[in-house]
């Protein structure tokens, strides 16, 4: 497909379990973002990958959250020891990165709805 | 602290009339603003943007207005159509990496 894909679309887990969320960006997009949207909140920035540079992890809410991007393409967001407050829709976006650190339009995936019981 | 705010969680408009969605921001360093549209079970899609060097940008039925002194922007949709029913987010990029999004306004266009 031509768009950003995410899997799974829905994930229900028990408190304390680990979860992995996957994002396949648009081919050729070097920038990849993770966001989450909790109920009644806006999109909250989590982490940003750009090519081979060190990721910007400044938005990760705790050390239970981590993400990696293998081969500059697929990304996995891992949440360890999930808590009920982690319940949210997790959105991935990719974009072309422009010169000089400027950004281009982000294309979002459909999201993964995570529910922690 | 919400740097981009959308104070109206929902809006209902009759088909054919104008829809006005509002957004306020607190950081005077923001120099670019975007509107995204989101349908249920889909990710947000880019709709229209505006640079701080402009006060208006128009694209078909969609116009975004920027009032820098008031730190306020608005999205006008005219005429509104039922297919415009969606959640609209305003956003501002900062430092090239982080994007600040509002909480969204759910627009319902009544046929």
């Amino acid at each position: 497909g031509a768009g950003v894909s995410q899997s799974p679309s829905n994930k229900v887990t028990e408190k304390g379990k680990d979860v992995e969320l996957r994002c396949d960006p648009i081919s050729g997009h070097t920038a990849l973002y993770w966001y989450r949207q909790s109920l009644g909140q806006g999109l909250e920035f989590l982490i940003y990958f750009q090519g081979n540079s060190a990721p910007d992890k400044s938005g990760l809410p705790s050390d239970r959250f981590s993400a990696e991007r293998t081969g500059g393409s697929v990304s996995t967001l891992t949440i360890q020891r999930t808590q009920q407050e982690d319940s949210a829709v997790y959105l991935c976006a990719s974009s072309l990165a422009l010169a000089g650190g400027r950004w281009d339009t982000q294309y979002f995936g459909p999201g993964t709805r995570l529910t922690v019981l | 602290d919400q740097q981009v705010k959308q104070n109206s969680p929902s809006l209902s408009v009759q088909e054919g009339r104008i829809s006005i969605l509002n957004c306020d921001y607190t950081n005077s360093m923001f120099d670019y603003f975007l509107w995204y549209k989101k349908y249920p079970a889909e990710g947000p899609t880019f709709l229209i943007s505006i640079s701080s060097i402009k006060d208006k940008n128009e694209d078909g039925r969609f116009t975004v207005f920027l009032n820098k002194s008031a730190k306020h922007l608005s999205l006008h949709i005219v005429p509104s159509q039922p297919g415009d029913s969606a959640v609209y987010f305003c956003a501002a990029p900062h430092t090239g990496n982080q994007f600040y999004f509002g909480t969204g306004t759910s627009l319902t266009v009544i046929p």
Side-chain angles (χ1 to χ4, degrees):
Chain A
V4 177
S5 60
Q6 291 185 245
S7 60
S9 55
N10 280 284
K11 176 71 176 179
V12 180
T13 190
E14 294 179 346
K15 178 181 172 181
K17 301 279 190 181
D18 298 352
V19 295
E20 283 191 355
L21 312 179
R22 177 186 168 107
C23 172
D24 283 89
I26 293 173
S27 177
H29 280 191
T30 56
L32 187 147
Y33 304 76
W34 281 99
Y35 295 88
R36 73 175 175 181
Q37 185 180 17
S38 303
L39 192 64
Q41 302 296 314
L43 275 69
E44 175 189 4
F45 167 81
L46 297 177
I47 190 169
Y48 164 77
F49 294 91
Q50 168 50 32
N52 295 321
S53 301
D56 177 352
K57 304 180 181 179
S58 58
L60 293 178
S62 78
D63 59 8
R64 295 186 296 105
F65 288 73
S66 63
E68 61 179 25
R69 188 177 184 192
T70 54
S73 181
V74 171
S75 178
T76 303
L77 177 69
T78 302
I79 309 173
Q80 296 178 310
R81 305 181 302 281
T82 52
Q83 304 294 311
Q84 288 182 332
E85 60 263 28
D86 299 335
S87 296
V89 175
Y90 288 81
L91 289 158
C92 172
S94 71
S95 73
L96 290 169
L98 303 178
R102 293 176 55 236
W103 55 275
D104 197 2
T105 302
Q106 295 181 34
Y107 295 85
F108 283 83
T112 294
R113 181 175 295 278
L114 175 65
T115 303
V116 182
L117 302 176
Chain B
D1 180 35
Q2 279 284 116
Q3 299 206 36
V4 177
K5 302 176 184 179
Q6 294 175 259
N7 293 317
S8 298
S10 63
L11 174 68
S12 290
V13 171
Q14 205 72 33
E15 180 179 5
R17 306 295 290 269
I18 185 171
S19 296
I20 300 176
L21 298 96
N22 295 304
C23 179
D24 298 291
Y25 60 97
T26 58
N27 191 335
S28 58
M29 298 298 290
F30 290 155
D31 61 3
Y32 211 93
F33 302 90
L34 307 93
W35 284 93
Y36 283 82
K37 177 179 179 179
K38 184 182 183 302
Y39 292 117
E42 296 182 11
T45 56
F46 170 73
L47 185 60
I48 192 170
S49 64
I50 188 166
S51 165
S52 61
I53 63 173
K54 295 185 176 181
D55 54 17
K56 175 183 175 181
N57 188 28
E58 189 173 352
D59 183 2
R61 297 185 297 113
F62 302 90
T63 303
V64 56
F65 295 92
L66 176 62
N67 182 334
K68 291 185 290 292
S69 60
K71 296 193 182 69
H72 177 83
L73 62 155
S74 60
L75 174 67
H76 293 210
I77 307 173
V78 56
S80 301
Q81 299 174 354
D84 296 330
S85 297
V87 178
Y88 291 80
F89 293 94
C90 62
H94 186 53
T95 71
N97 296 351
Q98 296 198 23
F99 280 68
Y100 292 97
F101 284 79
T103 52
T105 297
S106 178
L107 173 66
T108 301
V109 180
I110 304 163

